[in-house]
Amino acid sequence: MKVYMMHLIRIIAVPLILISTLLFLDSIVLGKTIYSVRFDYKKATPSSVYFSGKSREEIDRLCKTGEHASTADIAACSQRNFEQISAQLNSTIKPLEAELRKGDVDLKADNNPVALPYFEKGQRAWVQYRDNQCYAETYSLGEASMRYMTFWDCMARITKERISDLKSAED
């Protein structure tokens, strides 16, 4: 029985070890880079961490002129730009939601459907659209060093469009 168990362990363990080793070596042999893996922007370190130790003026100059900027600097500038535009979107949405919430009180009192849940659902759908669109644009580049610049620039562009749409709907 002992010999049988040892033989069974070898039969199972050897392929498992081999598969594990091959999976580990795959990432080394194929030369995986930061540009060849999936990216989750929600887990990205804020650009302020990248620029820590630099003054606002230094960051503004680097991001506006691109002078002496590395690819990582430009990507961080693109991320910073998106973060600022995203903050603008949030400050645009808050008063709209407050207005809808206020209007919903009257609608509800008259037994009419309320608007805020639909606005919130639309905003979630828009975020999903934006994210998917920008991932598609980015991943279509393959392993390009412009990958993160492209992603953050896309996020900023589509978010600016959303702000514009929300403001025009307000008028």
Side-chain angles (χ1 to χ4, degrees):
M1 181 70 172
K2 201 176 195 180
V3 172
Y4 173 74
M5 288 302 289
M6 293 290 283
H7 182 65
L8 186 61
I9 290 172
R10 270 193 224 129
I11 290 172
I12 294 171
V14 170
L16 286 176
I17 292 170
L18 182 61
I19 290 169
S20 299
T21 304
L22 288 175
L23 290 174
F24 172 73
L25 290 176
D26 177 51
S27 64
I28 294 170
V29 172
L30 294 179
K32 298 280 184 191
T33 69
I34 63 168
Y35 305 114
S36 61
V37 294
R38 290 193 68 205
F39 169 66
D40 183 354
Y41 79 92
K42 294 173 186 166
K43 294 179 183 175
T45 304
S47 64
S48 59
V49 173
Y50 180 84
F51 290 119
S52 67
K54 290 188 175 30
S55 70
R56 183 180 177 95
E57 292 78 25
E58 289 174 306
I59 299 166
D60 287 344
R61 187 173 42 258
L62 177 71
C63 291
K64 284 183 178 131
T65 67
E67 190 176 318
H68 306 296
S70 67
T71 302
D73 292 339
I74 296 169
C77 288
S78 295
Q79 180 181 356
R80 177 179 181 249
N81 184 43
F82 166 69
E83 291 166 349
Q84 291 170 341
I85 292 167
S86 183
Q88 289 174 10
L89 175 63
N90 291 336
S91 66
T92 301
I93 288 175
K94 284 188 191 294
L96 289 173
E97 288 177 330
E99 203 172 298
L100 289 171
R101 193 173 288 110
K102 183 179 166 187
D104 282 355
V105 171
D106 292 334
L107 290 170
K108 196 173 189 177
D110 293 336
N111 290 321
N112 288 313
V114 293
L116 183 60
Y118 291 98
F119 177 79
E120 292 170 335
K121 185 177 180 180
Q123 186 59 26
R124 285 189 303 273
W126 173 83
V127 167
Q128 188 174 27
Y129 156 77
R130 178 201 60 196
D131 293 359
N132 288 331
Q133 182 64 34
C134 292
Y135 280 124
E137 285 182 25
T138 301
Y139 292 148
S140 71
L141 295 172
E143 290 188 48
S145 62
M146 293 177 19
R147 181 180 243 192
Y148 298 114
M149 290 176 275
T150 299
F151 178 79
W152 294 118
D153 289 346
C154 175
M155 294 286 279
R157 182 185 78 246
I158 295 176
T159 302
K160 275 184 190 176
E161 292 167 3
R162 178 66 172 164
I163 293 168
S164 178
D165 288 345
L166 290 172
K167 285 183 177 180
S168 69
E170 228 178 86
D171 298 336

